[in-house]
Amino acid sequence: MTFSKKSSSQRLAWIEGTRIFAAVMILLYHAQLLMTHYAFTPQPTGVAHNLTLMGEATDRLGNTLVASILSFPIWFGFQFVDVFILISGFSLVLSLKGKPLEPIPFLKRRFLRILWPFWTVAWLSYPVLWGIGKSTNSYIPDPWHIFAGLTFPLLFDYAAEPLLPTSGPWWFVSLILSFTFIFPYLWELLQRWGSRNLLGVSLLLTLGYRTLAVYVFGGHPTYVVLDTPANWLPFVPFLAKLSTFVLGMVVAKAYGNGKGPLFWQPRRALLVGILLYAIGFICQFYWSGWIFADALLPIGLTLCCMVAFRSLSNFRGADSAMRWLGSRSYSYFLIHNFVIDRTIQLIVGDNLSLYYLLLPAMLLGTLILAEVVDFTTPAIQHLIITGWRTVNRALTKYPVSPRESWNSAAENASREPTCQNRGSLTNHRSITATK
């Protein structure tokens, strides 16, 4: 792969703009659901019936033309979850910068990049939630779920049950960890099989699995509120969205070679994006359409966002602003549900005027808290690592060099080193999370 200097030095600005836009749309989606008490989610009853349901739900937000226009796209903010997955596959390939992939260092670096911000949010949020709950006599996470959340991912299941009572959107963290875990193997297959073969196989696996999820497992997509035998659990594992992630990888590889949709003219990208999105939009209202909808919607949305944010980057300062905002998108996503849930439940209630008045404050407040998290994470990381090193040194029975691995320590403890195992000693580097 041959990356240009510009593309290999930093992530693309339009991608960062898409990240923060996706996070904002997910916040608005959850806020609108809470405010209307889940008045509308897509149902497998056809387009016409869903439009009727959506019109009735929109009336709860103010029976005006402005309210209808503004609320319409927000009902579908959940679709940006799959945009995150598509961008994740793209960004992981881009992060390699054309260099060989070393699986163990890669996995350690990426896992910690996901988990350190999560741990920071979890460790800081539980005391705050407890304090708010006590002072307002409202919801407080029970001790078990606090313990499970604080120790994630050591305690979790595919339903992300330890996380859901704290913050519903946190189920997504388990999914991203799954994709990170399988990425080295997918990358190897991409080199062996080529882009077309890997994408074709992943698409067949995804569509086949989603067919089973709908017609055999009795599940429904995560964005649907419907009573089915397995609820939304069959659509949580990575197989349900594998082709979207692989597509991001394939596009990134093509981009590195100076090819692919990122080099399309804006008009072509926009037309293709709108067409794919329109097909996916219709599919989400039918049982059979659930098989295909999530494979089409993120492609259409990402192409449209690419055109929009590339155009926006032509304005002075927009490029830097998108990069800065995009770097806060993950923490923004982790925090947003706390902000909207506590604000709507404890302050807004059913007061529609107050909802619209405080909505900008919720958007900005979440961004401020995201900045606090990103600023605090390195300090917490340093504190935890320093504490662990201190305990490790105090409890280690035999002198061990800081750069020796646990295997090396065991070998030294046995006091029977051989030439072979002396040559196999591995270095142990301090754990760091890159930003």
Side-chain angles (χ1 to χ4, degrees), residues 5-24:
K5 182 178 180 180
K6 181 178 179 180
S7 67
S8 62
S9 61
Q10 296 185 28
R11 289 172 294 181
L12 301 176
W14 73 265
I15 293 180
E16 301 305 322
T18 302
R19 285 186 203 272
I20 191 61
F21 181 68
V24 167

PDB file of all heavy atoms in Angstrom, residues 5-24:
ATOM      1  N   LYS A   5       1.756  11.372   1.992  1.00  0.00           N
ATOM      2  CA  LYS A   5       2.232  11.951   3.239  1.00  0.00           C
ATOM      3  C   LYS A   5       1.087  12.528   4.037  1.00  0.00           C
ATOM      4  O   LYS A   5       1.001  12.375   5.253  1.00  0.00           O
ATOM      5  CB  LYS A   5       3.277  13.038   2.936  1.00  0.00           C
ATOM      6  CG  LYS A   5       3.869  13.674   4.194  1.00  0.00           C
ATOM      7  CD  LYS A   5       4.921  14.689   3.815  1.00  0.00           C
ATOM      8  CE  LYS A   5       5.523  15.339   5.058  1.00  0.00           C
ATOM      9  NZ  LYS A   5       6.559  16.341   4.697  1.00  0.00           N
ATOM     10  N   LYS A   6       0.154  13.174   3.378  1.00  0.00           N
ATOM     11  CA  LYS A   6      -0.959  13.802   4.067  1.00  0.00           C
ATOM     12  C   LYS A   6      -1.856  12.769   4.717  1.00  0.00           C
ATOM     13  O   LYS A   6      -2.265  12.902   5.864  1.00  0.00           O
ATOM     14  CB  LYS A   6      -1.773  14.667   3.101  1.00  0.00           C
ATOM     15  CG  LYS A   6      -2.957  15.366   3.778  1.00  0.00           C
ATOM     16  CD  LYS A   6      -3.690  16.230   2.780  1.00  0.00           C
ATOM     17  CE  LYS A   6      -4.891  16.929   3.443  1.00  0.00           C
ATOM     18  NZ  LYS A   6      -5.627  17.771   2.495  1.00  0.00           N
ATOM     19  N   SER A   7      -2.158  11.683   3.993  1.00  0.00           N
ATOM     20  CA  SER A   7      -3.086  10.691   4.525  1.00  0.00           C
ATOM     21  C   SER A   7      -2.465   9.851   5.615  1.00  0.00           C
ATOM     22  O   SER A   7      -3.166   9.348   6.486  1.00  0.00           O
ATOM     23  CB  SER A   7      -3.588   9.778   3.401  1.00  0.00           C
ATOM     24  OG  SER A   7      -2.528   8.992   2.904  1.00  0.00           O
ATOM     25  N   SER A   8      -1.142   9.650   5.578  1.00  0.00           N
ATOM     26  CA  SER A   8      -0.500   8.803   6.564  1.00  0.00           C
ATOM     27  C   SER A   8      -0.132   9.552   7.825  1.00  0.00           C
ATOM     28  O   SER A   8       0.085   8.951   8.860  1.00  0.00           O
ATOM     29  CB  SER A   8       0.757   8.157   5.968  1.00  0.00           C
ATOM     30  OG  SER A   8       1.685   9.157   5.600  1.00  0.00           O
ATOM     31  N   SER A   9      -0.049  10.843   7.789  1.00  0.00           N
ATOM     32  CA  SER A   9       0.360  11.603   8.971  1.00  0.00           C
ATOM     33  C   SER A   9      -0.794  11.847   9.926  1.00  0.00           C
ATOM     34  O   SER A   9      -0.630  11.847  11.126  1.00  0.00           O
ATOM     35  CB  SER A   9       0.968  12.944   8.554  1.00  0.00           C
ATOM     36  OG  SER A   9       0.004  13.721   7.853  1.00  0.00           O
ATOM     37  N   GLN A  10      -1.992  12.052   9.420  1.00  0.00           N
ATOM     38  CA  GLN A  10      -3.153  12.327  10.260  1.00  0.00           C
ATOM     39  C   GLN A  10      -4.393  11.705   9.621  1.00  0.00           C
ATOM     40  O   GLN A  10      -4.430  11.407   8.430  1.00  0.00           O
ATOM     41  CB  GLN A  10      -3.375  13.829  10.412  1.00  0.00           C
ATOM     42  CG  GLN A  10      -2.256  14.553  11.116  1.00  0.00           C
ATOM     43  CD  GLN A  10      -2.616  16.018  11.343  1.00  0.00           C
ATOM     44  OE1 GLN A  10      -3.775  16.368  11.455  1.00  0.00           O
ATOM     45  NE2 GLN A  10      -1.616  16.857  11.408  1.00  0.00           N
ATOM     46  N   ARG A  11      -5.397  11.490  10.475  1.00  0.00           N
ATOM     47  CA  ARG A  11      -6.662  11.011   9.953  1.00  0.00           C
ATOM     48  C   ARG A  11      -7.317  12.105   9.119  1.00  0.00           C
ATOM     49  O   ARG A  11      -7.105  13.286   9.341  1.00  0.00           O
ATOM     50  CB  ARG A  11      -7.576  10.604  11.112  1.00  0.00           C
ATOM     51  CG  ARG A  11      -7.106   9.334  11.795  1.00  0.00           C
ATOM     52  CD  ARG A  11      -7.914   9.067  13.048  1.00  0.00           C
ATOM     53  NE  ARG A  11      -7.682  10.086  14.055  1.00  0.00           N
ATOM     54  CZ  ARG A  11      -8.258  10.076  15.252  1.00  0.00           C
ATOM     55  NH1 ARG A  11      -9.113   9.133  15.570  1.00  0.00           N
ATOM     56  NH2 ARG A  11      -7.993  11.031  16.134  1.00  0.00           N
ATOM     57  N   LEU A  12      -8.122  11.685   8.159  1.00  0.00           N
ATOM     58  CA  LEU A  12      -8.738  12.639   7.257  1.00  0.00           C
ATOM     59  C   LEU A  12      -9.758  13.485   8.001  1.00  0.00           C
ATOM     60  O   LEU A  12     -10.532  12.995   8.820  1.00  0.00           O
ATOM     61  CB  LEU A  12      -9.414  11.884   6.110  1.00  0.00           C
ATOM     62  CG  LEU A  12      -8.475  10.995   5.278  1.00  0.00           C
ATOM     63  CD1 LEU A  12      -9.270  10.234   4.237  1.00  0.00           C
ATOM     64  CD2 LEU A  12      -7.394  11.813   4.628  1.00  0.00           C
ATOM     65  N   ALA A  13      -9.770  14.763   7.688  1.00  0.00           N
ATOM     66  CA  ALA A  13     -10.628  15.700   8.417  1.00  0.00           C
ATOM     67  C   ALA A  13     -12.107  15.361   8.246  1.00  0.00           C
ATOM     68  O   ALA A  13     -12.888  15.460   9.193  1.00  0.00           O
ATOM     69  CB  ALA A  13     -10.347  17.126   7.959  1.00  0.00           C
ATOM     70  N   TRP A  14     -12.517  14.962   7.053  1.00  0.00           N
ATOM     71  CA  TRP A  14     -13.939  14.692   6.837  1.00  0.00           C
ATOM     72  C   TRP A  14     -14.396  13.483   7.645  1.00  0.00           C
ATOM     73  O   TRP A  14     -15.565  13.415   8.056  1.00  0.00           O
ATOM     74  CB  TRP A  14     -14.242  14.494   5.357  1.00  0.00           C
ATOM     75  CG  TRP A  14     -13.777  13.211   4.753  1.00  0.00           C
ATOM     76  CD1 TRP A  14     -12.618  12.990   4.087  1.00  0.00           C
ATOM     77  CD2 TRP A  14     -14.487  11.961   4.742  1.00  0.00           C
ATOM     78  NE1 TRP A  14     -12.533  11.681   3.665  1.00  0.00           N
ATOM     79  CE2 TRP A  14     -13.667  11.032   4.056  1.00  0.00           C
ATOM     80  CE3 TRP A  14     -15.708  11.536   5.252  1.00  0.00           C
ATOM     81  CZ2 TRP A  14     -14.039   9.703   3.868  1.00  0.00           C
ATOM     82  CZ3 TRP A  14     -16.079  10.206   5.063  1.00  0.00           C
ATOM     83  CH2 TRP A  14     -15.252   9.314   4.378  1.00  0.00           C
ATOM     84  N   ILE A  15     -13.491  12.546   7.892  1.00  0.00           N
ATOM     85  CA  ILE A  15     -13.840  11.403   8.731  1.00  0.00           C
ATOM     86  C   ILE A  15     -14.109  11.865  10.158  1.00  0.00           C
ATOM     87  O   ILE A  15     -15.061  11.420  10.810  1.00  0.00           O
ATOM     88  CB  ILE A  15     -12.712  10.353   8.712  1.00  0.00           C
ATOM     89  CG1 ILE A  15     -12.612   9.730   7.325  1.00  0.00           C
ATOM     90  CG2 ILE A  15     -12.950   9.280   9.760  1.00  0.00           C
ATOM     91  CD1 ILE A  15     -11.543   8.685   7.202  1.00  0.00           C
ATOM     92  N   GLU A  16     -13.270  12.783  10.634  1.00  0.00           N
ATOM     93  CA  GLU A  16     -13.468  13.298  11.990  1.00  0.00           C
ATOM     94  C   GLU A  16     -14.770  14.090  12.080  1.00  0.00           C
ATOM     95  O   GLU A  16     -15.477  14.033  13.085  1.00  0.00           O
ATOM     96  CB  GLU A  16     -12.284  14.178  12.399  1.00  0.00           C
ATOM     97  CG  GLU A  16     -10.944  13.468  12.385  1.00  0.00           C
ATOM     98  CD  GLU A  16     -10.959  12.212  13.237  1.00  0.00           C
ATOM     99  OE1 GLU A  16     -11.588  12.211  14.313  1.00  0.00           O
ATOM    100  OE2 GLU A  16     -10.355  11.210  12.825  1.00  0.00           O
ATOM    101  N   GLY A  17     -15.080  14.839  11.030  1.00  0.00           N
ATOM    102  CA  GLY A  17     -16.352  15.543  11.004  1.00  0.00           C
ATOM    103  C   GLY A  17     -17.522  14.580  11.036  1.00  0.00           C
ATOM    104  O   GLY A  17     -18.530  14.818  11.715  1.00  0.00           O
ATOM    105  N   THR A  18     -17.400  13.475  10.307  1.00  0.00           N
ATOM    106  CA  THR A  18     -18.460  12.462  10.302  1.00  0.00           C
ATOM    107  C   THR A  18     -18.591  11.811  11.667  1.00  0.00           C
ATOM    108  O   THR A  18     -19.709  11.526  12.129  1.00  0.00           O
ATOM    109  CB  THR A  18     -18.162  11.392   9.237  1.00  0.00           C
ATOM    110  OG1 THR A  18     -18.043  12.015   7.949  1.00  0.00           O
ATOM    111  CG2 THR A  18     -19.265  10.346   9.180  1.00  0.00           C
ATOM    112  N   ARG A  19     -17.470  11.565  12.339  1.00  0.00           N
ATOM    113  CA  ARG A  19     -17.510  10.955  13.674  1.00  0.00           C
ATOM    114  C   ARG A  19     -18.328  11.801  14.652  1.00  0.00           C
ATOM    115  O   ARG A  19     -19.219  11.301  15.336  1.00  0.00           O
ATOM    116  CB  ARG A  19     -16.091  10.801  14.231  1.00  0.00           C
ATOM    117  CG  ARG A  19     -15.249   9.699  13.645  1.00  0.00           C
ATOM    118  CD  ARG A  19     -13.954   9.627  14.435  1.00  0.00           C
ATOM    119  NE  ARG A  19     -12.878   9.018  13.704  1.00  0.00           N
ATOM    120  CZ  ARG A  19     -12.618   7.711  13.682  1.00  0.00           C
ATOM    121  NH1 ARG A  19     -13.395   6.887  14.352  1.00  0.00           N
ATOM    122  NH2 ARG A  19     -11.590   7.240  12.995  1.00  0.00           N
ATOM    123  N   ILE A  20     -17.992  13.075  14.740  1.00  0.00           N
ATOM    124  CA  ILE A  20     -18.678  13.909  15.727  1.00  0.00           C
ATOM    125  C   ILE A  20     -20.139  14.129  15.320  1.00  0.00           C
ATOM    126  O   ILE A  20     -21.025  14.206  16.176  1.00  0.00           O
ATOM    127  CB  ILE A  20     -17.927  15.249  15.942  1.00  0.00           C
ATOM    128  CG1 ILE A  20     -18.486  15.986  17.169  1.00  0.00           C
ATOM    129  CG2 ILE A  20     -17.993  16.111  14.703  1.00  0.00           C
ATOM    130  CD1 ILE A  20     -18.346  15.229  18.470  1.00  0.00           C
ATOM    131  N   PHE A  21     -20.392  14.233  14.025  1.00  0.00           N
ATOM    132  CA  PHE A  21     -21.772  14.365  13.561  1.00  0.00           C
ATOM    133  C   PHE A  21     -22.573  13.123  13.925  1.00  0.00           C
ATOM    134  O   PHE A  21     -23.725  13.213  14.360  1.00  0.00           O
ATOM    135  CB  PHE A  21     -21.795  14.596  12.052  1.00  0.00           C
ATOM    136  CG  PHE A  21     -23.180  14.776  11.486  1.00  0.00           C
ATOM    137  CD1 PHE A  21     -23.934  15.893  11.794  1.00  0.00           C
ATOM    138  CD2 PHE A  21     -23.726  13.816  10.645  1.00  0.00           C
ATOM    139  CE1 PHE A  21     -25.217  16.062  11.276  1.00  0.00           C
ATOM    140  CE2 PHE A  21     -24.994  13.966  10.118  1.00  0.00           C
ATOM    141  CZ  PHE A  21     -25.746  15.102  10.434  1.00  0.00           C
ATOM    142  N   ALA A  22     -21.968  11.941  13.758  1.00  0.00           N
ATOM    143  CA  ALA A  22     -22.640  10.698  14.122  1.00  0.00           C
ATOM    144  C   ALA A  22     -22.942  10.663  15.617  1.00  0.00           C
ATOM    145  O   ALA A  22     -24.042  10.264  16.034  1.00  0.00           O
ATOM    146  CB  ALA A  22     -21.771   9.499  13.729  1.00  0.00           C
ATOM    147  N   ALA A  23     -21.976  11.082  16.432  1.00  0.00           N
ATOM    148  CA  ALA A  23     -22.187  11.087  17.883  1.00  0.00           C
ATOM    149  C   ALA A  23     -23.312  12.045  18.273  1.00  0.00           C
ATOM    150  O   ALA A  23     -24.137  11.737  19.140  1.00  0.00           O
ATOM    151  CB  ALA A  23     -20.887  11.466  18.597  1.00  0.00           C
ATOM    152  N   VAL A  24     -23.358  13.208  17.626  1.00  0.00           N
ATOM    153  CA  VAL A  24     -24.417  14.187  17.914  1.00  0.00           C
ATOM    154  C   VAL A  24     -25.781  13.630  17.497  1.00  0.00           C
ATOM    155  O   VAL A  24     -26.774  13.784  18.225  1.00  0.00           O
ATOM    156  CB  VAL A  24     -24.129  15.518  17.200  1.00  0.00           C
ATOM    157  CG1 VAL A  24     -25.345  16.431  17.223  1.00  0.00           C
ATOM    158  CG2 VAL A  24     -22.934  16.216  17.849  1.00  0.00           C
TER     159      VAL A  24
END
